Amino acid sequence: SIVCMLCGYYVIYQNKERNGAPHATSTHAWLGIAVMVSMVALGVVGGLVLHPDWGMDKTNTTVRWAHKVGARVVLFLAWCTAVMGLYSLVQQDYIKL
């Protein structure tokens, strides 16, 4: 999932460059950056700390709970970011959406 997210970021970045549009100028953009950073952080924590075979803290229920809740919050923010992007496509005309 992290690779897919980074590929999506690459496509967005190249599209902005090709069209001469400024980067990170909207709430949608900043929320998207926050979601990407959070996804990478959760992936690293999940892979290194919570791995069931060799994770450093695989039995810590507090860390596992925080990872689970954090992932759900990031997923919710990702959906919010996607909806904000759709709204920007229709120029704030919600009836078209």
Side-chain angles (χ1 to χ4, degrees), residues 26 28 81-94 97:
S26 66
H28 167 74
T81 305
V83 169
M84 290 171 69
L86 291 172
Y87 283 153
S88 69
L89 286 176
V90 294
Q91 303 303 325
Q92 305 302 325
D93 188 0
Y94 303 126
L97 186 64

Side-chain angles (χ1 to χ4, degrees), residues 27-95:
T27 306
H28 167 74
W30 284 108
L31 193 56
I33 291 169
V35 165
M36 287 190 304
V37 169
S38 298
M39 282 185 176
V40 170
L42 283 166
V44 169
V45 168
L48 296 178
V49 177
L50 298 175
H51 192 277
D53 293 332
W54 43 265
M56 297 179 285
D57 217 3
K58 62 185 176 187
T59 59
N60 187 327
T61 56
T62 304
V63 174
R64 294 184 80 76
W65 179 83
H67 181 75
K68 179 175 72 172
V69 171
R72 289 176 181 174
V73 169
V74 170
L75 183 60
F76 174 75
L77 291 175
W79 278 107
C80 291
T81 305
V83 169
M84 290 171 69
L86 291 172
Y87 283 153
S88 69
L89 286 176
V90 294
Q91 303 303 325
Q92 305 302 325
D93 188 0
Y94 303 126
I95 294 173

Side-chain angles (χ1 to χ4, degrees), residues 2-36:
I2 292 174
V3 172
C4 289
M5 182 229 9
L6 292 174
C7 289
Y9 173 74
Y10 173 78
V11 169
I12 293 166
Y13 184 85
Q14 289 300 322
N15 189 39
K16 292 265 189 190
E17 286 293 314
R18 187 175 304 124
N19 293 323
H23 297 277
T25 58
S26 66
T27 306
H28 167 74
W30 284 108
L31 193 56
I33 291 169
V35 165
M36 287 190 304

